[in-house]
Short mmCIF file of all heavy atoms in Angstrom, two decimals:
data_model
loop_
_atom_site.label_atom_id
_atom_site.label_comp_id
_atom_site.label_asym_id
_atom_site.label_seq_id
_atom_site.Cartn_x
_atom_site.Cartn_y
_atom_site.Cartn_z
N ASN B 1022 52.81 76.44 133.41
CA ASN B 1022 53.30 77.46 134.33
C ASN B 1022 54.11 78.53 133.61
O ASN B 1022 54.07 79.72 133.97
CB ASN B 1022 54.16 76.82 135.42
CG ASN B 1022 53.33 76.00 136.39
OD1 ASN B 1022 52.11 76.07 136.40
ND2 ASN B 1022 54.00 75.19 137.21
N VAL B 1023 54.87 78.11 132.59
CA VAL B 1023 55.65 79.07 131.82
C VAL B 1023 54.72 80.03 131.09
O VAL B 1023 54.90 81.26 131.12
CB VAL B 1023 56.57 78.34 130.81
CG1 VAL B 1023 57.13 79.32 129.78
CG2 VAL B 1023 57.72 77.67 131.54
N PHE B 1024 53.70 79.50 130.42
CA PHE B 1024 52.76 80.36 129.70
C PHE B 1024 51.98 81.25 130.68
O PHE B 1024 51.66 82.39 130.36
CB PHE B 1024 51.79 79.52 128.88
CG PHE B 1024 52.42 78.93 127.63
CD1 PHE B 1024 52.44 77.57 127.42
CD2 PHE B 1024 52.99 79.76 126.68
CE1 PHE B 1024 53.01 77.03 126.29
CE2 PHE B 1024 53.57 79.23 125.53
CZ PHE B 1024 53.58 77.86 125.33
N ALA B 1025 51.70 80.73 131.88
CA ALA B 1025 51.00 81.53 132.89
C ALA B 1025 51.87 82.71 133.31
O ALA B 1025 51.39 83.84 133.47
CB ALA B 1025 50.65 80.67 134.09
N ALA B 1026 53.17 82.44 133.50
CA ALA B 1026 54.10 83.50 133.89
C ALA B 1026 54.21 84.56 132.79
O ALA B 1026 54.47 85.74 133.06
CB ALA B 1026 55.47 82.92 134.19
N LEU B 1027 54.01 84.14 131.54
CA LEU B 1027 54.06 85.06 130.41
C LEU B 1027 52.72 85.78 130.20
O LEU B 1027 52.62 86.68 129.37
CB LEU B 1027 54.42 84.30 129.12
CG LEU B 1027 55.82 83.69 129.05
CD1 LEU B 1027 55.96 82.83 127.81
CD2 LEU B 1027 56.88 84.79 129.06
N GLY B 1028 51.70 85.36 130.95
CA GLY B 1028 50.38 85.96 130.81
C GLY B 1028 49.62 85.46 129.60
O GLY B 1028 48.63 86.07 129.18
N LYS B 1029 50.05 84.32 129.04
CA LYS B 1029 49.38 83.76 127.86
C LYS B 1029 48.35 82.72 128.32
O LYS B 1029 48.55 81.51 128.26
CB LYS B 1029 50.41 83.14 126.91
CG LYS B 1029 51.40 84.18 126.40
CD LYS B 1029 52.22 83.66 125.24
CE LYS B 1029 53.08 84.78 124.64
NZ LYS B 1029 53.82 84.36 123.45
N TRP B 1030 47.21 83.25 128.76
CA TRP B 1030 46.21 82.40 129.42
C TRP B 1030 45.48 81.49 128.45
O TRP B 1030 44.96 80.45 128.86
CB TRP B 1030 45.25 83.29 130.20
CG TRP B 1030 45.97 84.09 131.24
CD1 TRP B 1030 46.22 85.43 131.24
CD2 TRP B 1030 46.61 83.57 132.42
NE1 TRP B 1030 46.96 85.79 132.34
CE2 TRP B 1030 47.21 84.67 133.09
CE3 TRP B 1030 46.73 82.30 132.97
CZ2 TRP B 1030 47.91 84.53 134.28
CZ3 TRP B 1030 47.42 82.15 134.16
CH2 TRP B 1030 48.01 83.26 134.80
N ASP B 1031 45.43 81.84 127.16
CA ASP B 1031 44.79 80.95 126.19
C ASP B 1031 45.57 79.64 126.08
O ASP B 1031 44.98 78.55 126.03
CB ASP B 1031 44.70 81.62 124.81
CG ASP B 1031 43.66 82.73 124.79
OD1 ASP B 1031 42.77 82.73 125.67
OD2 ASP B 1031 43.75 83.61 123.90
N GLN B 1032 46.91 79.76 126.04
CA GLN B 1032 47.75 78.55 125.99
C GLN B 1032 47.63 77.75 127.28
O GLN B 1032 47.63 76.52 127.25
CB GLN B 1032 49.21 78.93 125.74
CG GLN B 1032 49.52 79.37 124.31
CD GLN B 1032 49.46 80.87 124.16
OE1 GLN B 1032 48.65 81.54 124.81
NE2 GLN B 1032 50.30 81.41 123.30
N VAL B 1033 47.53 78.46 128.40
CA VAL B 1033 47.37 77.78 129.69
C VAL B 1033 46.09 76.95 129.68
O VAL B 1033 46.09 75.78 130.08
CB VAL B 1033 47.33 78.80 130.85
CG1 VAL B 1033 46.96 78.12 132.15
CG2 VAL B 1033 48.68 79.50 130.98
N LYS B 1034 45.00 77.55 129.24
CA LYS B 1034 43.72 76.84 129.19
C LYS B 1034 43.78 75.65 128.26
O LYS B 1034 43.23 74.58 128.54
CB LYS B 1034 42.61 77.81 128.76
CG LYS B 1034 42.29 78.88 129.80
CD LYS B 1034 41.25 79.85 129.28
CE LYS B 1034 40.99 80.96 130.30
NZ LYS B 1034 40.03 81.98 129.79
N SER B 1035 44.48 75.83 127.13
CA SER B 1035 44.61 74.73 126.16
C SER B 1035 45.36 73.55 126.75
O SER B 1035 44.96 72.39 126.58
CB SER B 1035 45.33 75.24 124.90
OG SER B 1035 45.55 74.19 123.99
N ILE B 1036 46.46 73.84 127.46
CA ILE B 1036 47.26 72.77 128.08
C ILE B 1036 46.46 72.08 129.17
O ILE B 1036 46.47 70.84 129.28
CB ILE B 1036 48.58 73.34 128.64
CG1 ILE B 1036 49.47 73.81 127.49
CG2 ILE B 1036 49.32 72.27 129.46
CD1 ILE B 1036 50.73 74.54 127.95
N ARG B 1037 45.76 72.86 129.97
CA ARG B 1037 44.97 72.26 131.05
C ARG B 1037 43.84 71.39 130.51
O ARG B 1037 43.52 70.35 131.09
CB ARG B 1037 44.43 73.37 131.97
CG ARG B 1037 45.53 74.02 132.79
CD ARG B 1037 45.05 75.17 133.64
NE ARG B 1037 46.15 75.74 134.42
CZ ARG B 1037 46.07 76.84 135.15
NH1 ARG B 1037 44.93 77.52 135.20
NH2 ARG B 1037 47.12 77.28 135.82
N LYS B 1038 43.25 71.80 129.40
CA LYS B 1038 42.23 70.97 128.76
C LYS B 1038 42.85 69.66 128.25
O LYS B 1038 42.24 68.59 128.33
CB LYS B 1038 41.59 71.72 127.59
CG LYS B 1038 40.61 72.81 128.02
CD LYS B 1038 40.00 73.49 126.81
CE LYS B 1038 39.02 74.59 127.24
NZ LYS B 1038 38.44 75.28 126.05
N SER B 1039 44.08 69.77 127.71
CA SER B 1039 44.78 68.59 127.22
C SER B 1039 45.07 67.61 128.35
O SER B 1039 44.95 66.39 128.18
CB SER B 1039 46.09 69.01 126.55
OG SER B 1039 46.82 67.88 126.11
N ILE B 1040 45.43 68.14 129.52
CA ILE B 1040 45.69 67.29 130.68
C ILE B 1040 44.44 66.51 131.07
O ILE B 1040 44.49 65.31 131.31
CB ILE B 1040 46.19 68.14 131.87
CG1 ILE B 1040 47.58 68.72 131.57
CG2 ILE B 1040 46.22 67.31 133.15
CD1 ILE B 1040 48.08 69.69 132.62
N VAL B 1041 43.31 67.22 131.08
CA VAL B 1041 42.04 66.58 131.44
C VAL B 1041 41.65 65.55 130.39
O VAL B 1041 41.22 64.43 130.71
CB VAL B 1041 40.92 67.65 131.59
CG1 VAL B 1041 39.57 66.97 131.79
CG2 VAL B 1041 41.23 68.57 132.76
N ALA B 1042 41.80 65.91 129.11
CA ALA B 1042 41.41 65.02 128.02
C ALA B 1042 42.22 63.72 128.03
O ALA B 1042 41.71 62.65 127.66
CB ALA B 1042 41.58 65.73 126.67
N ARG B 1043 43.47 63.80 128.46
CA ARG B 1043 44.33 62.61 128.51
C ARG B 1043 44.17 61.83 129.81
O ARG B 1043 44.83 60.82 130.02
CB ARG B 1043 45.80 63.03 128.33
CG ARG B 1043 46.10 63.60 126.95
CD ARG B 1043 47.54 64.09 126.86
NE ARG B 1043 48.48 62.99 127.00
CZ ARG B 1043 48.86 62.20 126.00
NH1 ARG B 1043 48.36 62.39 124.78
NH2 ARG B 1043 49.72 61.23 126.19
N GLY B 1044 43.29 62.33 130.68
CA GLY B 1044 43.04 61.62 131.94
C GLY B 1044 44.17 61.72 132.93
O GLY B 1044 44.32 60.86 133.81
N LEU B 1045 44.98 62.79 132.82
CA LEU B 1045 46.12 62.97 133.72
C LEU B 1045 45.72 63.86 134.89
O LEU B 1045 44.83 64.70 134.78
CB LEU B 1045 47.30 63.59 132.96
CG LEU B 1045 47.75 62.85 131.70
CD1 LEU B 1045 48.85 63.64 131.00
CD2 LEU B 1045 48.24 61.45 132.04
N LYS B 1046 46.38 63.67 136.00
CA LYS B 1046 46.10 64.48 137.19
C LYS B 1046 47.37 65.07 137.76
O LYS B 1046 48.37 64.37 137.92
CB LYS B 1046 45.40 63.63 138.25
CG LYS B 1046 43.98 63.22 137.89
CD LYS B 1046 43.31 62.48 139.03
CE LYS B 1046 41.86 62.11 138.68
NZ LYS B 1046 41.20 61.38 139.80
N LYS B 1047 47.33 66.37 138.06
CA LYS B 1047 48.47 67.05 138.67
C LYS B 1047 48.52 66.70 140.16
O LYS B 1047 47.50 66.73 140.85
CB LYS B 1047 48.34 68.56 138.51
CG LYS B 1047 49.41 69.37 139.21
CD LYS B 1047 49.13 70.84 139.08
CE LYS B 1047 50.18 71.69 139.81
NZ LYS B 1047 50.12 71.50 141.27
N GLU B 1048 49.72 66.36 140.62
CA GLU B 1048 49.89 66.07 142.04
C GLU B 1048 49.80 67.37 142.83
O GLU B 1048 50.56 68.31 142.58
CB GLU B 1048 51.24 65.40 142.29
CG GLU B 1048 51.45 64.98 143.74
CD GLU B 1048 52.79 64.30 143.95
OE1 GLU B 1048 53.63 64.32 143.03
OE2 GLU B 1048 52.99 63.76 145.05
N PRO B 1049 48.88 67.46 143.79
CA PRO B 1049 48.76 68.70 144.57
C PRO B 1049 49.93 68.88 145.52
O PRO B 1049 50.51 67.91 146.00
CB PRO B 1049 47.45 68.51 145.34
CG PRO B 1049 47.31 67.02 145.46
CD PRO B 1049 47.90 66.44 144.21
N GLY B 1050 50.29 70.12 145.79
CA GLY B 1050 51.37 70.41 146.73
C GLY B 1050 50.96 70.09 148.16
O GLY B 1050 49.88 70.51 148.61
N ARG B 1051 51.80 69.34 148.87
CA ARG B 1051 51.54 68.98 150.26
C ARG B 1051 52.81 69.16 151.06
O ARG B 1051 53.92 68.90 150.57
CB ARG B 1051 51.09 67.52 150.39
CG ARG B 1051 49.88 67.14 149.56
CD ARG B 1051 48.58 67.64 150.13
NE ARG B 1051 48.29 67.10 151.46
CZ ARG B 1051 47.23 67.44 152.18
NH1 ARG B 1051 46.39 68.32 151.71
NH2 ARG B 1051 47.03 66.92 153.37
N SER B 1052 52.66 69.61 152.31
CA SER B 1052 53.80 69.73 153.22
C SER B 1052 53.42 69.15 154.57
O SER B 1052 52.25 69.18 154.96
CB SER B 1052 54.23 71.19 153.37
OG SER B 1052 54.75 71.70 152.16
#
Side-chain angles (χ1 to χ4, degrees):
N1022 290 348
V1023 166
F1024 285 122
L1027 294 172
K1029 298 193 173 184
W1030 300 109
D1031 288 340
Q1032 286 94 326
V1033 172
K1034 292 176 183 177
S1035 176
I1036 293 173
R1037 290 176 179 173
K1038 285 181 180 179
S1039 177
I1040 292 174
V1041 173
R1043 294 176 64 84
L1045 305 175
K1046 291 185 178 180
K1047 175 185 179 294
E1048 184 179 10
R1051 304 284 298 177
S1052 293

